[in-house]
Amino acid sequence: MEQYVASNDDSNANLNTEITKVPKTLKTLGILSLIMGGLVILISLWSLKKDFLPSEQDNLDREKVLEMVQQQNPMDGYEKAVKILDDQGTVNIVTLLVQIISVIGVVMMLKLKKNGFYFYLVGELISYLILIILFGITSLAGIAVAYGGLIQTIGFIVAGLVVVQDIVFIVLYSRQLKYMS
């Protein structure tokens, strides 16, 4: 574990305090996670407002989306889109709560607390589990599923990349456990 000794010249020249330094890799992962976690929390809060307290413009935007889906996928796109948009409030609540758990875990890891890794792990993985149980695997691709065709494929590719990114971060954080207590 990287450590350095900082002297406290202001109060007592002979008093040395040992401070544990956060490894650079852990600090970099933490900063990236906090930025992304903060953005996801802000987007979730904004989306919750749109889900539960929609303005007239929000309702017009929803109708535009439904019209576009109907044009793109006339067979069953409209029904899928209505269900997805109706479920979006619950999805946003789940996302917000698990993201808060993940951010708490990151802060704990930056304080070199090993339990933070487990908070982060639960926060990252439980969201997938809850969404798949409640809404099925297609919930990971969101509204793109209702469009069908290429847009649906792109939605699943993006969802897959997000899962891979989460797995990579979990593995990278797990390699930093040796610095945590």
Side-chain angles (χ1 to χ4, degrees):
M1 182 179 314
E2 295 180 43
Q3 292 184 345
Y4 68 92
V5 177
S7 65
N8 187 348
D9 293 330
D10 293 336
S11 62
N12 186 344
N14 295 327
L15 177 64
N16 287 332
T17 308
E18 192 174 291
I19 300 172
T20 304
K21 188 175 181 181
V22 177
K24 288 180 184 179
T25 303
L26 179 57
K27 188 183 287 187
T28 302
L29 288 169
I31 290 169
L32 291 172
S33 295
L34 290 174
I35 290 169
M36 191 58 175
L39 287 173
V40 171
I41 288 170
L42 289 174
I43 291 168
S44 295
L45 289 170
W46 178 69
S47 296
L48 283 170
K49 181 263 174 212
K50 290 178 74 165
D51 294 329
F52 295 108
L53 300 169
S55 66
E56 193 169 316
Q57 184 61 47
D58 293 335
N59 290 330
L60 290 172
D61 291 343
R62 177 185 166 106
E63 291 305 315
K64 286 180 190 175
V65 167
L66 292 172
E67 287 174 19
M68 288 190 311
V69 168
Q70 180 65 31
Q71 291 172 355
Q72 190 76 26
N73 184 4
M75 295 294 283
D76 63 350
Y78 186 85
E79 292 80 19
K80 285 181 180 178
V82 168
K83 172 140 180 40
I84 290 166
L85 292 175
D86 288 347
D87 294 340
Q88 197 60 45
T90 305
V91 169
N92 287 325
I93 290 170
V94 169
T95 302
L96 178 64
L97 294 176
V98 297
Q99 199 59 53
I100 289 170
I101 292 169
S102 291
V103 166
I104 290 169
V106 170
V107 170
M108 290 171 68
M109 284 190 285
L110 289 172
K111 292 181 178 184
L112 301 177
K113 304 290 184 198
K114 193 177 281 193
N115 285 343
F117 173 75
Y118 302 108
F119 272 77
Y120 179 80
L121 184 66
V122 167
E124 292 301 312
L125 297 181
I126 202 162
S127 62
Y128 297 117
L129 184 64
I130 291 171
L131 293 177
I132 291 169
I133 288 171
L134 290 178
F135 307 112
I137 191 79
T138 58
S139 67
L140 300 180
I143 193 72
V145 172
Y147 282 93
L150 180 62
I151 295 174
Q152 178 177 333
T153 303
I154 292 170
F156 279 115
I157 290 170
V158 169
L161 291 173
V162 170
V163 171
V164 168
Q165 177 251 310
D166 283 342
I167 291 168
V168 166
F169 267 64
I170 289 167
V171 169
L172 291 173
Y173 274 126
S174 72
R175 292 184 174 187
Q176 300 299 308
L177 285 171
K178 61 188 169 200
Y179 300 109
M180 300 177 217
S181 56

